[in-house]
Amino acid sequence: MSTALIILAAGKGTRMNSDLPKVLHPIAQAPMLAHAMHAGRALDPDQTIVVAGHAAEAVTAAVAEIDETAQVVLQTEQLGTAHAVDQARAALGDFDGDVVVLYGDTPFVQPDTLERMIKARASADLVILGFQAADPGRYGRLVMAGDTLERIVEYKDANEVERAISFCNSGLIACNAKLLFELIAKVGNENASGEYYLTDVVELARSQGCSVTAVACDEAETLGVNSRADLARADAVFQSRARAELLDLGVTLMAPETVYLSLDTFIGRDAVIEPNVVFGPGVTVESGALIRAFSHLEGCHVSRGAKIGPYARLRPGAELAENTHVGNFVEIKNAEISEGAKINHLSYIGDASVGKRTNIGAGTITCNYDGVMKHHTEIGADAFIGSNTLLVAPVKVGDEAMTATGAVITKDVEDGALAIARTPQVNKPGRAQKLMDLLRAKKARRDGGDA
Ligand code: UD1
Ligand code: MG
């Protein structure tokens, strides 16, 4: 069965008190919207349509980054959830498979829950996702008769008996596309909010003899985000779930609650993550790598057997091959570090390539930026870069070459050469003592003068 996703994301999110539209606020370093879209991928949808309204331009740009095949349609006025879904009608054209409606501000729905909704479609024309609410608050209430969902009553429109129901509407719905749009065309707005309620399709479907049922999920999956406090809670929920998943996959987290993960963090089996490590977006750590305490990684790739940190910073474009070592207070940006290379202390390696087994001494800096442009540094294999070398890019250091400690390298160094680029040392016998005497006398004169 082919499937299409419609993701509602036109709302403003007033309670976020923000210039950023609600669905673009990040959870685990990815826009909230990306979480719902990721979950939807489990259904292998033929089409994904995002309904945007508030800050549509920003939402459109974000959608393109998350999934370039997704389409954005506009809902210029927010007239209700049925009206929002209706905006996808033209984009779906003749599509006759199942439509699943998700909310952009409900990030935690699980892929297998969506699969259960699609399975339930085998025996019902319309499937709603419901949950038992600890505090039903203002959610729509599901009025059941056995396995049949009779109707959904919005809180504002509900009577006392209906308000006592704790089985609530998550907002998610699965239905054949043709049927759904046929039903939506009949939805009116005579209700307490004057909105076109998507929930009205339940009664409309029943009145024309269609079967309607509800699938239940855990309340945690339907957690919506309406405020900054909700956002912080949502991030915490994401973190504890993602950590548990990594532990299940065979990753060692020495102090799981101190490791911060992103939506797309990938860590292989038998990797070890020490306490207080932050994974920004776009990080892949392969099996058996060791990430030591207080390291910060984003947009980088760490291969098998690599040892990173403690206190290392890997920035976008850091490509670390197998068995590389990157030690404390080392920053690497847009640089390829080849197999077995070591950069163990206090260095900045940016816009560079480092050959196999090369050793970079403490305090080495690639001077990649001249104030206007960035330049590349190329260091060959089996090279030895002396401590406190400044590599003024663009510059090349050949295979098996060496730079002397404290060198300022401004010219290419050929293979096998030793480059010395520092002021020669001069020793002046007895001069230290004389200089000290001179300075002490000066101080005594000054102090005497003051008194
Ligand atoms: C909706 C449901 C309610 C359910 C609750 C779950 C209806 C009528 N009610 O209520 O039964 O318990 O969600 O959270 O469907 N949106 C648009 N365009 C619009 C209106 C809404 O894109 O014109 C989007 C919002 O941005 C949001 C989602 O649809 O992502 C839900 O809208 P919201 O206004 O939060 O609906 P609720 O009143 O919470
Ligand atoms: Mg809501």
Side-chain angles (χ1 to χ4, degrees):
M1 170 62 81
S2 51
T3 314
L5 301 177
I6 299 177
I7 301 172
L8 304 190
K12 185 173 179 196
T14 312
R15 279 189 284 153
M16 296 303 287
N17 193 13
S18 173
D19 291 336
L20 196 66
K22 175 159 78 171
V23 292
L24 298 190
H25 279 268
I27 296 172
Q29 310 271 304
M32 205 185 297
L33 181 59
H35 291 254
M37 290 174 74
H38 271 245
R41 274 184 204 164
L43 300 178
D44 192 19
D46 294 18
Q47 257 178 287
T48 298
I49 298 163
V50 176
V51 182
H54 279 282
E57 242 173 71
V59 172
T60 304
V63 167
E65 289 229 339
I66 299 163
D67 177 357
E68 58 185 14
T69 68
Q71 264 173 283
V72 176
V73 296
L74 285 185
Q75 185 195 26
T76 41
E77 262 186 299
Q78 279 67 63
L79 303 179
T81 43
H83 181 258
V85 173
D86 204 33
Q87 307 313 303
R89 183 189 289 268
L92 281 169
D94 288 336
F95 180 77
D96 197 19
D98 269 3
V99 163
V100 177
V101 176
L102 305 172
Y103 286 178
D105 61 355
T106 307
F108 290 127
V109 59
Q110 292 299 291
D112 61 310
T113 299
L114 299 179
E115 278 159 11
R116 281 196 295 125
M117 288 177 72
I118 292 292
K119 282 207 189 95
R121 272 275 298 116
S123 52
D125 296 310
L126 186 63
V127 176
I128 297 283
L129 182 67
F131 63 99
Q132 284 296 341
D135 169 17
R138 304 186 67 81
Y139 287 118
R141 306 299 207 264
L142 302 186
V143 182
M144 302 294 295
D147 282 343
T148 295
L149 174 61
E150 291 202 319
R151 59 203 162 82
I152 304 177
V153 195
E154 287 306 296
Y155 175 82
K156 279 189 188 169
D157 304 290
N159 59 36
E160 284 308 307
V161 177
E162 290 160 341
R163 284 184 181 181
I165 297 172
S166 59
F167 195 32
C168 292
N169 178 29
S170 71
L172 274 63
I173 162 169
C175 181
N176 166 268
K178 291 252 153 78
L179 175 61
L180 182 64
F181 288 113
E182 187 190 315
L183 296 170
I184 283 176
K186 297 179 185 166
V187 171
N189 65 351
E190 297 83 37
N191 51 52
S193 312
E195 286 185 9
Y196 295 88
Y197 289 164
L198 182 59
T199 45
D200 282 357
V201 297
V202 172
E203 252 186 304
L204 288 165
R206 298 252 308 126
S207 71
Q208 61 184 65
C210 295
S211 54
V212 185
T213 195
V215 164
C217 72
D218 201 80
E219 185 170 7
E221 289 186 42
T222 68
L223 185 78
V225 174
N226 293 306
S227 63
R228 304 276 179 159
D230 288 348
L231 190 69
R233 260 193 295 277
D235 213 310
V237 168
F238 175 90
Q239 296 302 330
S240 51
R241 263 195 209 163
R243 290 167 192 143
E245 269 169 32
L246 286 178
L247 294 170
D248 276 351
L249 287 170
V251 175
T252 297
L253 303 179
M254 284 171 55
E257 65 288 355
T258 68
V259 174
Y260 187 87
L261 303 160
S262 288
L263 176 61
D264 62 356
T265 302
F266 176 86
I267 306 180
R269 213 165 84 110
D270 289 323
V272 174
I273 314 298
E274 289 189 357
N276 295 297
V277 175
V278 174
F279 292 92
V283 176
T284 298
V285 174
E286 287 185 22
S287 295
L290 169 64
I291 314 292
R292 307 185 82 170
F294 296 100
S295 294
H296 189 285
L297 295 79
E298 59 183 316
C300 63
H301 176 211
V302 177
S303 304
R304 282 167 185 269
K307 291 190 172 72
I308 309 301
Y311 299 97
R313 179 167 185 209
L314 302 184
R315 290 174 52 204
E319 260 293 324
L320 276 60
E322 293 188 14
N323 302 316
T324 45
H325 289 190
V326 169
N328 39 266
F329 306 106
V330 172
E331 173 180 345
I332 298 189
K333 182 215 77 169
N334 187 32
E336 208 169 307
I337 313 301
S338 307
E339 205 178 322
K342 294 188 175 74
I343 311 167
N344 274 330
H345 331 268
L346 301 156
S347 282
Y348 170 63
I349 303 296
D351 301 309
S353 58
V354 175
K356 290 185 180 174
R357 297 170 300 276
T358 283
N359 189 87
I360 307 278
T364 295
I365 307 288
T366 54
C367 310
N368 60 329
Y369 187 46
D370 58 17
V372 179
M373 285 184 292
K374 300 275 169 71
H375 301 282
H376 194 259
T377 300
E378 187 181 322
I379 303 170
D382 299 297
F384 183 92
I385 305 299
S387 293
N388 212 26
T389 294
L390 300 180
L391 296 152
V392 183
V395 74
K396 283 185 194 172
V397 176
D399 293 343
E400 294 170 31
M402 291 175 86
T403 66
T405 294
V408 180
I409 302 297
T410 53
K411 290 184 290 197
D412 290 356
V413 181
E414 66 266 34
D415 290 354
L418 164 65
I420 305 170
R422 62 188 184 209
T423 316
Q425 182 170 328
V426 182
N427 288 357
K428 310 226 167 168
R431 272 288 281 280
Q433 198 57 57
K434 277 187 193 154
L435 186 61
M436 278 298 184
D437 291 346
L438 207 74
L439 292 171
R440 283 188 188 113
K442 205 172 174 181
K443 183 167 188 271
R445 272 200 307 278
R446 193 196 67 190
D447 293 350
D450 281 352

